[in-house]
Amino acid sequence: MASSKAAFNRARLLEMLRERSFARRRVVLASGKESDFFIDCKQTVLTAEGHALAGELMLDALAALPACDAVAGVELGGCPLASAVALTSHLRGTPKDAVYVRKEAKDHGSKRFLEGNTTLPPGAALVILEDVTTTGGSTLKAVEKLRAADYVVSGVVTLVDRLEGGREAIEAAGLPFVAVYTRNDFGL
């Protein structure tokens, strides 16, 4: 029964991503690369149903990685994913707190790169969650910030791997990588 629920969740989230998040158009990506298609996962993940499905599937994906104490979302697309996984983990009785990794430190208030980590001890293991992986550059910058704060990065889970070198770059940095979907799931 659990595997049929997971299969349903996977198919439903992909359907939502195709309908709400995928577009064939010219766009410049965060990596600076130009592409003829765009996948804006936030348009799906920020719906109530998409949030719940992403939380379920990404929490399930953690099973393929070394154990972690918390999950870290890279600003901006990874933040709702970290929150969804944290909520789902609590509901399942296996709580994993969420940490947000900013691209730049706040210029006011706490001036922090990380949010949500104040109760995590040094040496805690975190898995980075990303919405879309292209070259892996944003993820690897987040890895540096987490390591500089004395955390261990156990691996990376991405919602969509564009299959444009990100997996290879992340794995070359010694991190295991899991993708829930790839560009192939969008017929590309």
Side-chain angles (χ1 to χ4, degrees), residues 16-75:
M16 291 180 73
L17 287 165
R18 286 176 176 160
E19 290 173 2
R20 294 175 173 267
S21 299
F22 177 79
R24 282 195 172 276
R25 64 179 171 90
R26 282 258 177 249
V27 64
V28 176
L29 305 170
S31 64
K33 295 175 74 173
E34 190 173 300
S35 177
D36 62 353
F37 71 94
F38 186 56
I39 304 172
D40 182 1
C41 293
K42 292 179 291 300
Q43 302 310 311
T44 297
V45 172
L46 292 174
T47 67
E49 182 183 11
H51 199 75
L53 292 169
E56 293 272 345
L57 292 167
M58 294 192 92
L59 180 60
D60 291 346
L62 293 180
L65 298 173
C68 67
D69 303 303
V71 292
V74 180
E75 180 187 22

Side-chain angles (χ1 to χ4, degrees), residues 75-137:
E75 180 187 22
L76 178 68
C79 293
L81 297 173
S83 291
V85 169
L87 174 62
T88 304
S89 71
H90 175 76
L91 294 173
R92 288 187 187 176
T94 57
K96 299 197 180 314
D97 289 341
V99 173
Y100 293 172
V101 182
R102 293 181 182 276
K103 291 179 182 169
E104 301 294 330
K106 284 176 56 175
D107 63 358
H108 62 282
S110 64
K111 300 186 178 189
R112 302 165 64 78
F113 272 110
L114 305 177
E115 298 291 346
N117 66 312
T118 57
T119 61
L120 288 176
L126 289 87
V127 167
I128 294 179
L129 306 179
E130 277 278 31
D131 57 345
V132 178
T133 300
T134 304
T135 64

